[in-house]
């Protein structure tokens, strides 16, 4: 069962209202931050390709590499699968990322079919690919597939946001964070947006870029 799909700002508002009733701290977050962003993006090969390109580099560097790939005609799966390593390296990819993007391009993932699979089946298909960790799959589920009840317990900004919001002595570990977030079902992906917004607002208030 796929469950609720988030497609519009109205969906986010519905989830945020539910969370604010269930947990008053989320009402405080809404008062501080205003509406939480939708942040949907197109699903498909390009979304995961770009996730790999963005690993361990700045946004500007990732955008530069992506621009060079597209300019050289290596944007699509077929072109990337057939490209020579030296040509991809010339676009700014490390040898490791060449391996990752080509493994993705050659995997033959049916991205249309993923839209209709339950969350854990999407994880089962994507997680074995080199360079694709669970966090990356969770971001794909949240922002590309719009799944309403996915949460990323390994995300440091979410953990830090939760620590501040719930006055915890330290960032919650995976097990504890999973238990805490269970109360936010069926809107855990909206709760994540709220915690990211709260984290960003707190850092800006402290004069630190998030």
């Amino acid at each position: 069962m796929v469950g609720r799909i988030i497609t519009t700002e109205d969906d986010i508002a519905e989830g945020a209202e539910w969370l604010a009733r269930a947990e008053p701290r989320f009402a405080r977050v809404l008062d501080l931050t205003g509406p939480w962003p939708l942040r949907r993006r197109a699903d498909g090969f390009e979304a995961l390709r770009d996730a790999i390109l963005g690993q361990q580099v700045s946004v500007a560097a990732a955008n530069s590499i992506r621009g060079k790939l597209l300019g050289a005609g290596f944007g699509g799966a077929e072109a990337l699968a057939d490209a020579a390593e030296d040509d991809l390296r010339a676009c700014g990819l490390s040898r490791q990322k060449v391996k990752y993007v080509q493994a993705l391009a050659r995997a033959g993932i049916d991205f249309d079919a993923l839209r209709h699979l339950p969350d854990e089946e999407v994880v089962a298909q994507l997680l074995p690919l080199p360079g694709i960790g669970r966090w990356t799959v969770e971001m794909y589920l949240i922002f590309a597939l719009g799944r309403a009840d996915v949460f990323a317990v390994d995300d440091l900004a979410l953990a830090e946001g939760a620590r501040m919001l719930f006055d915890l002595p330290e960032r919650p570990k995976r097990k504890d964070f999973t238990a805490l977030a269970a109360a936010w079902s069926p809107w855990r992906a909206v709760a994540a947006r709220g915690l990211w917004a709260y984290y960003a607002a707190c850092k800006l208030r402290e004069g630190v870029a998030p």
Side-chain angles (χ1 to χ4, degrees):
M1 182 175 177
V2 170
R4 181 69 179 266
I5 300 296
I6 292 172
T7 58
T8 69
E9 286 84 0
D10 288 343
D11 296 325
I12 298 295
E14 180 184 346
E17 182 181 352
W18 186 94
L19 289 163
R21 290 197 306 267
E23 171 50 72
R25 290 178 181 85
F26 282 116
R28 285 168 37 201
V29 173
L30 279 169
D31 289 340
L32 174 66
T33 65
W36 304 332
L38 177 62
R39 292 179 62 187
R40 280 296 306 270
R41 65 158 300 166
D43 65 326
F45 169 79
E46 290 80 6
L48 284 177
R49 177 203 65 197
D50 291 351
I52 291 172
L53 297 182
Q55 292 172 357
Q56 299 180 323
V57 298
S58 68
V59 172
N63 287 339
S64 174
I65 295 169
R66 178 178 177 272
K68 290 175 182 177
L69 276 179
L70 296 180
F74 297 133
E78 185 175 349
L80 269 175
D82 295 337
E85 178 180 336
D86 288 346
D87 290 337
L88 297 181
R89 295 272 289 149
C91 294
L93 277 77
S94 66
R95 284 190 173 85
Q96 188 175 51
K97 286 190 179 180
V98 169
K99 174 185 174 183
Y100 292 166
V101 296
Q102 289 198 311
L104 174 65
R106 294 165 180 166
I109 299 294
D110 185 344
F111 287 98
D112 290 339
L114 292 186
R115 298 172 186 169
H116 309 291
L117 294 180
D119 298 338
E120 286 305 319
E121 289 190 31
V122 176
V123 172
Q125 287 210 23
L126 298 181
L127 196 57
L129 296 173
I132 303 292
R134 189 173 183 93
W135 181 89
T136 300
V137 180
E138 288 163 344
M139 295 303 104
Y140 186 81
L141 285 163
I142 293 172
F143 296 119
L145 294 181
R147 303 299 172 87
D149 201 30
V150 173
F151 196 80
V153 294
D154 296 320
D155 187 278
L156 291 180
L158 288 182
E160 180 63 10
R163 183 195 67 78
M164 294 186 291
L165 183 60
F166 290 88
D167 298 318
L168 303 175
E170 61 181 2
R171 292 174 187 164
K173 301 297 190 294
R174 168 187 279 268
K175 182 178 179 181
D176 293 335
F177 207 7
T178 299
L180 179 65
W184 309 331
S185 181
W187 291 105
R188 282 177 287 188
V190 178
R193 288 169 169 88
L195 288 175
W196 277 315
Y198 182 70
Y199 172 80
C202 289
K203 291 304 178 184
L204 287 175
R205 192 165 52 187
E206 297 169 3
V208 179

